[in-house]
Amino acid sequence: QEQLAESGGGLLQAGGSLKLSCAASGRSFSANAMGWFRQAPGKEREFVAAISWTGSTTSYADSVKGRFTISRDNARNTVYLQMNSLEPEDTAVYYCAARRGTQVRTTLRDYDYWGQGTQVTVSS
């Protein structure tokens, strides 16, 4: 059974950095586009970043552009989200997702597999 497992979340102060990891198991996702989404309390889940199956194409939400970087290691079946200059507004549960397709997409309905999420809390 395909599974995505996020790790690396935590509590930190504004201005700090975190690197999230998403390890896939049950099958290889090296031929699939992957993405990160987040959901803050009382808000809908929103797009954060996505990467194509080769890693050559990426997309970011405007709110994280220039601060977050998505990358992947297909040999390790793992996707990463490097988050720098974190702000209290970045506080959310962060979810990893995978598409059956190869190209970048930014909407929830385009993703077929989801992890359980990892909490990121940024204090001011």
Side-chain angles (χ1 to χ4, degrees), residues 12-79:
L12 73 165
Q13 290 189 329
S17 297
L18 273 179
K19 187 172 186 177
L20 305 183
S21 298
C22 171
S25 61
R27 57 160 282 186
S28 172
F29 284 92
S30 62
N32 302 87
M34 305 284 290
W36 287 94
F37 292 77
R38 67 186 181 186
Q39 187 165 16
K43 295 188 177 182
E44 294 185 350
R45 194 171 299 189
E46 64 176 7
F47 170 74
V48 175
I51 188 167
S52 63
W53 72 286
T54 61
S56 61
T57 302
T58 58
S59 179
Y60 297 92
D62 287 343
S63 59
V64 307
K65 204 170 292 185
R67 300 188 297 123
F68 291 10
T69 302
I70 188 170
S71 62
R72 65 189 300 161
D73 184 340
N74 286 341
R76 297 179 182 271
N77 220 15
T78 301
V79 176

